[in-house]
Amino acid sequence: MKKMAIGYIVIIFIPIISFGLYLYNQNYNSFLEEYAQGRQKIVNQVLNNLNVSTVQIESAYQLFQNNSNTIAYLSGNYRTDFDQVSNFLTYIRPLFSYILSSNRLIDGMTIYMEQQNGMVFRPEMAKMDESKLDDSIKKLPLGVGKWITIKNGSNPDINLHFVHKIGNRNFEQDIGLLDIKVTSKLIKPLLESLNLNNRSNLYVLDQDHQVISLVEKIHLSQDSEQSLFADVFQSNAKYSYQQVNGNKMLIESFYAEGLKLQFVMIEQVDDVFIGIKKNKYVLVLTVSILLLLLSGIYYLIASSITKRILKLSKHMRRVDENHFPLYHGEINKDEVGHLTSAYNAMIRRMDELVNTVHRSEMLRKESAYLMMQAQIKPHFLYNTLESIRMIAEANDDPEAAEMSYTLGKLFRYSLSGTKSETLLGEEVENVKDYIKIQQIRMGDRLQVSFDIDAVIDNFICPHYMLQPIIENSIVHGIANVRKQGSLSIRIWEDSAFMFIAVKDSGAGIEEERLVLIQGVLNGKMDAHLLQTDGGGLGIFNVNERVKMFFGEHSGIQMESKLNEGTTCILKLAKGATQ
């Protein structure tokens, strides 16, 4: 039940919450993009209107430059004071009044005269020396106009001025500098369209990227400001979202082409979309509560179904090879009840089979006991062989005595053992006894050598593991050739395996028969294919015993060439019997 609950949380609960948050964030980011793009459109429209207004203001210069009376006055062409006064009052001052009345964005105009001998009519006229403008402005090239900003202390209002040099009739010499002061109403629509709030900053930067006006509601360090300005000027992006002091900020940039001013606005997103943020938490909380409620309902339904399965599973853990209890819990007419009934039927059948096997084993042991009683007692056999050996020695027949003695040892090794395993050293000694008998029988035709380069006294192996292999080499190999035959037994080891190689120089094995034997030993062919009139399953039985005793990585490998001999290698895994 715990696994099902954990699986439900991992597979359903967490993915739904994660997908919901992902979908919400996608919609939230999309809304942020639409908000920024919408404001860009509004501000761009305001900037277009601002550019039209700046063109209208700049056109005032043409009225003065193209007015012959203004050019004559500034050039000092009037010799008498009367002419100057008359010309100014009749033609020039009305022009000032017309421009100021027709354009409400102009707060004032002044012409700074280069000629020092002319009369000064204030406030329209002033001498160039009286100008507080920078020398760079005074030295503007003839016919060039420029928008400039004049800082007014800590006042955030921007003092905008448009200045333009006025030339003589032939534009050979500058005769005056027109200074038009613009009211703050010029950029007021832009500031209103930005909709500044209590968590936003506005920076106004000139052509040199210097801050000339600042509205600061969010305190930022100078380094943070410089970093933001650098990103704005490098990326040329109209807007972007960045993390500033751990808060998500909307960074917007607007450029007034006519005024050559850059407006940079920083606004905290959470304050703008505080309602959306609250809805986000409400949505997450609602979904979480619903999922928890559904999870509880799911748990109750699942527990009512799986409770009986868990009881059955707990009962099944009590079953072992000697204990087959029936399940006596609730059994309903559903899938779980059907499973429980099938389990009880299986337990009854297993109990019957175990009892049958037990009875069969008892009968088998009883039959084996009766057969043993009918056999010759081993001690009687040993004593008889010992008597034959003594008679042979008395009759001066050492070969018969040796054969009787060796045969007695073989019988003792085979009949007196009560276990299916022995030590490799004892197995080798038994093989030596067997070989002695064969050497007596075959005489000089059988030459045997042992090469043991391993510790075999403590290595456990199956009973009669080597004797069938040695017998095959002698009976089916060396005995079938007329020449003298050799048999070598080599034993060596490494860190993981013990190796035993039995090599003879006998008749060898035909290639087709060898392929069959190798296929059976490797488990790729049926063992019954080896069966012949003369046997054939001995090597297979030894291989199976070795695999069962030492593991699947152990076994027998056989190589042979017809008329040259056969080599049989046993590979025995160390530690398999520990």
Side-chain angles (χ1 to χ4, degrees), residues 400-435:
E402 181 67 19
M403 182 175 291
S404 299
Y405 174 72
T406 305
L407 182 60
K409 290 176 64 179
L410 287 175
F411 283 152
R412 187 181 301 274
Y413 181 79
S414 62
L415 297 178
S416 62
T418 58
K419 296 182 179 179
S420 61
E421 61 186 38
T422 185
L423 297 177
L424 182 57
E426 295 178 355
E427 184 73 7
V428 170
E429 291 298 323
N430 179 66
V431 166
K432 288 180 178 180
D433 291 335
Y434 173 78
I435 292 175

Side-chain angles (χ1 to χ4, degrees), residues 458-486:
N458 297 321
F459 188 80
I460 302 175
C461 65
H463 241 88
Y464 272 92
M465 177 183 68
L466 294 179
Q467 192 270 340
I469 298 175
I470 301 295
E471 182 178 353
N472 279 348
S473 295
I474 295 175
V475 175
H476 299 290
I478 298 175
N480 290 334
V481 296
R482 297 181 179 181
K483 63 180 181 178
Q484 185 183 59
S486 62

Side-chain angles (χ1 to χ4, degrees), residues 132-174:
K132 296 181 180 180
L133 300 174
D134 293 338
D135 292 338
S136 61
I137 302 300
K138 296 177 181 179
K139 295 179 181 179
L140 280 174
L142 187 61
V144 176
K146 184 178 182 180
W147 284 92
I148 62 174
T149 57
I150 299 176
K151 296 182 180 179
N152 188 17
S154 59
N155 193 337
D157 292 337
I158 302 174
N159 294 324
L160 289 172
H161 291 252
F162 176 72
V163 295
H164 202 294
K165 279 295 184 72
I166 301 176
N168 58 9
R169 293 181 183 275
N170 299 322
F171 281 90
E172 297 172 348
Q173 180 183 4
D174 59 317

